[in-house]
Every structure is written in structure tokens, then in C-alpha cells.
Amino acid sequence: MSAAGAIIYCEDVTVDYDGFKALSRLNFFMDRKELRVVIGPNGAGKTTLLDVISGRVKPVAGRVIFGHHTDLLPLRENQIAALGVGRKFQTPSVFVNLTVRDNVELSLRRASKGVFATLFDRDAEDERARIQATLETVGLAGKAAQLAGTLSHGEKQWLEIGMVIAQDPELLLVDEPVAGMTDEETARTGALLQSIAADRSVLVIEHDMEFVRRIARKVTVLHQGAVLCEGTVDQVQADPRVLEVYLGQRREARSGATAGGAHAVR
């Protein structure tokens, strides 16, 4: 893998909040059709990384290149989404009073505003096929007519993932997808993300190391807004720098300071 062929390439990215560097000259890249997991203690810059890639936050320095040399920094969130960057937030935001199918259809229609609106209107059959394929991918085809508000927490997460992938992004950003899930839902989510990564790039932020071990080939560890190390799960868990980061945070928590994710590496 090389930065030249990466789906996303962040170079010397710095995000400064009144003197606090949420990201500090961060260098990060991942390949096409790769499933990458990013871990790190609270405050390490994990969600900020997703914010920068999706356009929610603009860095004070650095550059973010998507696909074939497209600079994302001048673009708004909706423009970045239109290029092929989809984001699934930690808390599902489905429309609880609409059916599962209607949620996916609405996500498609929002994505098709503007140049592609008439195309979608003309090809209703294609739209129906895409919605059906999406529901089958996330395992909710049998609940298409059910109100989204009646779904379990895990099913709502899968629905929102479906709402994003229905828009056919090249890069899917997912923030802590298994928080609050049952063991069975966690296993199904891992299988879902792996299946999605067969056709597109998937970047996952996660704390649950058992889940990380299940899905990740390569893990990136962030600390104080920069990449601390990268490698397999076994490699990063054995790295003394990683152990010190998490054990140090555990000691701070025991002394009354703010805890920051000591549970993430076991």
C-alpha cells in the first residue's frame, strides 16, 4: 500500500481548538477496499479524524486528499458526500415514524437532489432495486414495512448503515458501530462491515478490542492527535508505547482525573 494509491490521504493535518491540538500534524492514509480500524484513548483525535475527512471540521494546516487527487478542504460536507464519502455516526438517526424501506428511500432522494434528481425520478425501477438490495445487505429485507422506531438498537444501526451505503460511497466512515449491542448483534455487525469492505473502503472507530480483533487486518492507534503506531491487533497490543498510553490513562482515572479509554486495550 502507498499514499499515491490511497482512497484517503491526510498529510500534516492539524486541528486546533483554542490552543488544544485535537490533531497534531497527523499523517494517515488507507487503501481502496480496505477495512481499517482506528483506536486510541478518549481525546486521541479519533472522531476529529472523521470530522476532518467528512468536512465537518476544517483543519488549520495540512491537506486531505480523496481518491484521484481531490483536495477536500475547500469543500462543504454535502459536496464531500457527493464525491463518495459516507458517514455513519455513533448514535443512529433514523426516522422512527417511517418504515424501514421509507428510510432508505428518503436517504436516496436526499442524495439525488440537484443534477441527478430527474434521473432518479425517471428510473423508479432502478431505485426500488437499489433499496431492496440495500435492505438485503443489512439483513432488514424482512422488516421493510416495519416502522423504524420498533427496531432494536442493533437493527437501527444496520438501517443507518444501509441508508449510507445506498448512496454508493467509495469510503464509509463508521463511529463506534457496536456500542450498546448484544453479542449476536456485534457479530452480525462485524460480518456486515467485512462484506461492505469487499466493494468499498471502510474506516471504523472502535473501543471494543474483541470486535476489533474480529474484523481488522490493520489497526491504527492515535494518541494526542497523531499516529502512535500501526499494525495487526497483536502487534499494536504488544507495543510498549500503546500499553503505556492506556496504563497511564488508567492511573490518571484511579487518581481522580478524567478517564480516557483504558478498557480499549486488554
Side-chain angles (χ1 to χ4, degrees):
M1 183 175 70
S2 67
I7 186 69
I8 194 73
Y9 174 45
C10 302
E11 181 182 45
D12 290 334
V13 173
T14 298
V15 174
D16 191 306
Y17 296 121
D18 296 324
F20 170 72
K21 287 185 170 55
L23 295 179
S24 180
R25 301 196 67 179
L26 174 83
N27 291 290
F28 171 86
F29 63 92
M30 60 179 285
D31 211 348
R32 296 176 185 276
K33 296 186 181 180
E34 178 187 359
L35 197 164
R36 177 74 64 87
V37 181
V38 175
I39 67 172
N42 290 344
K46 304 183 298 298
T47 298
T48 304
L49 172 61
L50 300 192
D51 287 341
V52 167
I53 295 172
S54 63
R56 194 179 182 92
V57 167
K58 297 298 182 184
V60 296
R63 62 179 185 148
V64 180
I65 305 299
F66 174 69
H68 297 291
H69 313 296
T70 302
D71 185 0
L72 298 184
L73 296 190
L75 305 180
R76 299 187 300 274
E77 284 185 76
N78 64 312
Q79 293 174 313
I80 293 173
L83 283 176
V85 178
R87 182 169 182 181
K88 160 72 180 73
F89 289 88
Q90 181 178 353
T91 303
S93 56
V94 301
F95 297 95
V96 296
N97 294 321
L98 296 179
T99 67
V100 170
R101 180 181 296 278
D102 287 343
N103 269 269
V104 178
E105 181 178 356
L106 183 60
S107 73
L108 272 177
R109 293 194 177 276
R110 285 188 302 180
S112 66
K113 285 181 179 178
V115 175
F116 298 104
T118 54
L119 173 63
F120 272 79
D121 288 341
R122 284 200 304 265
D123 201 352
E125 184 177 346
D126 177 69
E127 181 179 307
R128 286 193 296 271
R130 183 181 294 194
I131 292 170
Q132 182 63 28
T134 297
L135 292 174
E136 290 173 357
T137 296
V138 299
L140 294 176
K143 298 189 176 183
Q146 192 169 314
L147 291 179
T150 66
L151 299 178
S152 70
H153 171 69
E155 289 170 334
K156 288 175 181 173
Q157 296 281 26
W158 303 332
L159 174 56
E160 189 164 31
I161 290 173
M163 292 166 67
V164 178
I165 65 172
Q167 300 170 22
D168 198 26
E170 288 188 73
L171 173 63
L172 175 63
L173 311 175
V174 188
D175 198 350
E176 296 191 37
V178 299
M181 285 190 179
T182 65
D183 290 344
E184 181 182 354
E185 288 173 335
T186 296
R188 287 184 59 181
T189 301
L192 172 60
L193 293 176
Q194 287 176 316
S195 69
I196 292 171
D199 299 312
R200 65 196 81 237
S201 305
V202 182
L203 174 56
V204 180
I205 303 296
E206 191 48 71
H207 282 294
D208 185 333
M209 284 305 297
E210 291 182 12
F211 179 70
V212 172
R213 181 178 291 279
R214 181 178 297 164
I215 69 170
R217 297 187 195 92
K218 186 171 184 178
V219 177
T220 298
V221 183
L222 295 189
H223 177 53
Q224 295 181 346
V227 173
L228 181 66
C229 67
E230 292 182 326
T232 66
V233 176
D234 288 336
Q235 287 171 333
V236 300
Q237 286 188 304
D239 192 306
R241 296 170 297 173
V242 176
L243 296 174
E244 176 56 32
V245 165
Y246 283 102
L247 289 174
Q249 291 235 340
R250 182 176 295 170
R251 286 195 293 268
E252 288 180 6
R254 287 175 176 173
S255 67
T258 300
H263 62 283
V265 173
R266 297 194 283 268

PDB file of all heavy atoms in Angstrom, residues 200-212:
ATOM      1  N   ARG A 200     -15.896  -1.524  -1.139  1.00  0.00           N
ATOM      2  CA  ARG A 200     -15.556  -0.124  -0.859  1.00  0.00           C
ATOM      3  C   ARG A 200     -14.623  -0.067   0.354  1.00  0.00           C
ATOM      4  O   ARG A 200     -14.436  -1.062   1.047  1.00  0.00           O
ATOM      5  CB  ARG A 200     -16.823   0.699  -0.636  1.00  0.00           C
ATOM      6  CG  ARG A 200     -17.621   0.319   0.580  1.00  0.00           C
ATOM      7  CD  ARG A 200     -19.030   0.889   0.538  1.00  0.00           C
ATOM      8  NE  ARG A 200     -19.899   0.056  -0.292  1.00  0.00           N
ATOM      9  CZ  ARG A 200     -20.559   0.501  -1.337  1.00  0.00           C
ATOM     10  NH1 ARG A 200     -20.486   1.761  -1.699  1.00  0.00           N
ATOM     11  NH2 ARG A 200     -21.323  -0.325  -2.046  1.00  0.00           N
ATOM     12  N   SER A 201     -14.063   1.090   0.618  1.00  0.00           N
ATOM     13  CA  SER A 201     -13.193   1.264   1.779  1.00  0.00           C
ATOM     14  C   SER A 201     -14.030   1.600   3.009  1.00  0.00           C
ATOM     15  O   SER A 201     -14.997   2.349   2.913  1.00  0.00           O
ATOM     16  CB  SER A 201     -12.188   2.393   1.518  1.00  0.00           C
ATOM     17  OG  SER A 201     -11.450   2.153   0.335  1.00  0.00           O
ATOM     18  N   VAL A 202     -13.658   1.032   4.158  1.00  0.00           N
ATOM     19  CA  VAL A 202     -14.405   1.237   5.392  1.00  0.00           C
ATOM     20  C   VAL A 202     -13.423   1.630   6.495  1.00  0.00           C
ATOM     21  O   VAL A 202     -12.473   0.897   6.775  1.00  0.00           O
ATOM     22  CB  VAL A 202     -15.173  -0.028   5.816  1.00  0.00           C
ATOM     23  CG1 VAL A 202     -15.989   0.240   7.078  1.00  0.00           C
ATOM     24  CG2 VAL A 202     -16.086  -0.516   4.689  1.00  0.00           C
ATOM     25  N   LEU A 203     -13.669   2.777   7.111  1.00  0.00           N
ATOM     26  CA  LEU A 203     -12.846   3.266   8.218  1.00  0.00           C
ATOM     27  C   LEU A 203     -13.700   3.264   9.479  1.00  0.00           C
ATOM     28  O   LEU A 203     -14.724   3.938   9.547  1.00  0.00           O
ATOM     29  CB  LEU A 203     -12.337   4.680   7.916  1.00  0.00           C
ATOM     30  CG  LEU A 203     -11.563   5.412   9.020  1.00  0.00           C
ATOM     31  CD1 LEU A 203     -10.372   4.599   9.489  1.00  0.00           C
ATOM     32  CD2 LEU A 203     -11.118   6.784   8.523  1.00  0.00           C
ATOM     33  N   VAL A 204     -13.286   2.477  10.477  1.00  0.00           N
ATOM     34  CA  VAL A 204     -14.078   2.265  11.683  1.00  0.00           C
ATOM     35  C   VAL A 204     -13.333   2.804  12.901  1.00  0.00           C
ATOM     36  O   VAL A 204     -12.151   2.500  13.100  1.00  0.00           O
ATOM     37  CB  VAL A 204     -14.369   0.759  11.891  1.00  0.00           C
ATOM     38  CG1 VAL A 204     -15.205   0.548  13.153  1.00  0.00           C
ATOM     39  CG2 VAL A 204     -15.073   0.172  10.676  1.00  0.00           C
ATOM     40  N   ILE A 205     -14.043   3.588  13.722  1.00  0.00           N
ATOM     41  CA  ILE A 205     -13.549   3.987  15.037  1.00  0.00           C
ATOM     42  C   ILE A 205     -14.185   3.038  16.050  1.00  0.00           C
ATOM     43  O   ILE A 205     -15.405   2.855  16.050  1.00  0.00           O
ATOM     44  CB  ILE A 205     -13.950   5.434  15.389  1.00  0.00           C
ATOM     45  CG1 ILE A 205     -13.445   6.407  14.324  1.00  0.00           C
ATOM     46  CG2 ILE A 205     -13.450   5.810  16.783  1.00  0.00           C
ATOM     47  CD1 ILE A 205     -11.968   6.506  14.202  1.00  0.00           C
ATOM     48  N   GLU A 206     -13.374   2.426  16.913  1.00  0.00           N
ATOM     49  CA  GLU A 206     -13.944   1.461  17.850  1.00  0.00           C
ATOM     50  C   GLU A 206     -13.113   1.362  19.122  1.00  0.00           C
ATOM     51  O   GLU A 206     -11.901   1.604  19.114  1.00  0.00           O
ATOM     52  CB  GLU A 206     -14.044   0.085  17.175  1.00  0.00           C
ATOM     53  CG  GLU A 206     -14.842  -0.948  17.936  1.00  0.00           C
ATOM     54  CD  GLU A 206     -16.188  -0.441  18.414  1.00  0.00           C
ATOM     55  OE1 GLU A 206     -17.088  -0.235  17.583  1.00  0.00           O
ATOM     56  OE2 GLU A 206     -16.320  -0.233  19.630  1.00  0.00           O
ATOM     57  N   HIS A 207     -13.807   1.023  20.236  1.00  0.00           N
ATOM     58  CA  HIS A 207     -13.151   0.795  21.523  1.00  0.00           C
ATOM     59  C   HIS A 207     -13.112  -0.681  21.894  1.00  0.00           C
ATOM     60  O   HIS A 207     -12.236  -1.112  22.636  1.00  0.00           O
ATOM     61  CB  HIS A 207     -13.892   1.547  22.638  1.00  0.00           C
ATOM     62  CG  HIS A 207     -13.600   3.005  22.680  1.00  0.00           C
ATOM     63  ND1 HIS A 207     -12.356   3.513  22.998  1.00  0.00           N
ATOM     64  CD2 HIS A 207     -14.385   4.089  22.445  1.00  0.00           C
ATOM     65  CE1 HIS A 207     -12.390   4.841  22.972  1.00  0.00           C
ATOM     66  NE2 HIS A 207     -13.612   5.207  22.630  1.00  0.00           N
ATOM     67  N   ASP A 208     -14.075  -1.449  21.421  1.00  0.00           N
ATOM     68  CA  ASP A 208     -14.214  -2.848  21.799  1.00  0.00           C
ATOM     69  C   ASP A 208     -13.148  -3.677  21.084  1.00  0.00           C
ATOM     70  O   ASP A 208     -13.261  -3.974  19.898  1.00  0.00           O
ATOM     71  CB  ASP A 208     -15.617  -3.326  21.422  1.00  0.00           C
ATOM     72  CG  ASP A 208     -15.914  -4.753  21.877  1.00  0.00           C
ATOM     73  OD1 ASP A 208     -14.964  -5.545  22.018  1.00  0.00           O
ATOM     74  OD2 ASP A 208     -17.103  -5.069  22.085  1.00  0.00           O
ATOM     75  N   MET A 209     -12.103  -4.097  21.841  1.00  0.00           N
ATOM     76  CA  MET A 209     -10.982  -4.773  21.204  1.00  0.00           C
ATOM     77  C   MET A 209     -11.321  -6.188  20.742  1.00  0.00           C
ATOM     78  O   MET A 209     -10.696  -6.700  19.813  1.00  0.00           O
ATOM     79  CB  MET A 209      -9.774  -4.790  22.138  1.00  0.00           C
ATOM     80  CG  MET A 209      -9.060  -3.444  22.227  1.00  0.00           C
ATOM     81  SD  MET A 209      -8.551  -2.784  20.615  1.00  0.00           S
ATOM     82  CE  MET A 209      -7.394  -4.037  20.071  1.00  0.00           C
ATOM     83  N   GLU A 210     -12.284  -6.827  21.361  1.00  0.00           N
ATOM     84  CA  GLU A 210     -12.710  -8.130  20.865  1.00  0.00           C
ATOM     85  C   GLU A 210     -13.323  -7.983  19.474  1.00  0.00           C
ATOM     86  O   GLU A 210     -13.077  -8.803  18.584  1.00  0.00           O
ATOM     87  CB  GLU A 210     -13.711  -8.764  21.834  1.00  0.00           C
ATOM     88  CG  GLU A 210     -13.097  -9.179  23.162  1.00  0.00           C
ATOM     89  CD  GLU A 210     -14.113  -9.835  24.077  1.00  0.00           C
ATOM     90  OE1 GLU A 210     -15.227 -10.165  23.591  1.00  0.00           O
ATOM     91  OE2 GLU A 210     -13.804 -10.008  25.261  1.00  0.00           O
ATOM     92  N   PHE A 211     -14.103  -6.925  19.285  1.00  0.00           N
ATOM     93  CA  PHE A 211     -14.685  -6.648  17.984  1.00  0.00           C
ATOM     94  C   PHE A 211     -13.599  -6.252  16.992  1.00  0.00           C
ATOM     95  O   PHE A 211     -13.606  -6.705  15.831  1.00  0.00           O
ATOM     96  CB  PHE A 211     -15.715  -5.530  18.107  1.00  0.00           C
ATOM     97  CG  PHE A 211     -16.376  -5.150  16.810  1.00  0.00           C
ATOM     98  CD1 PHE A 211     -17.259  -6.011  16.188  1.00  0.00           C
ATOM     99  CD2 PHE A 211     -16.101  -3.927  16.208  1.00  0.00           C
ATOM    100  CE1 PHE A 211     -17.866  -5.672  14.984  1.00  0.00           C
ATOM    101  CE2 PHE A 211     -16.705  -3.573  15.002  1.00  0.00           C
ATOM    102  CZ  PHE A 211     -17.590  -4.452  14.399  1.00  0.00           C
ATOM    103  N   VAL A 212     -12.642  -5.434  17.423  1.00  0.00           N
ATOM    104  CA  VAL A 212     -11.537  -5.033  16.557  1.00  0.00           C
ATOM    105  C   VAL A 212     -10.766  -6.258  16.078  1.00  0.00           C
ATOM    106  O   VAL A 212     -10.439  -6.389  14.891  1.00  0.00           O
ATOM    107  CB  VAL A 212     -10.602  -4.046  17.292  1.00  0.00           C
ATOM    108  CG1 VAL A 212      -9.345  -3.772  16.464  1.00  0.00           C
ATOM    109  CG2 VAL A 212     -11.323  -2.739  17.587  1.00  0.00           C
TER     110      VAL A 212
END
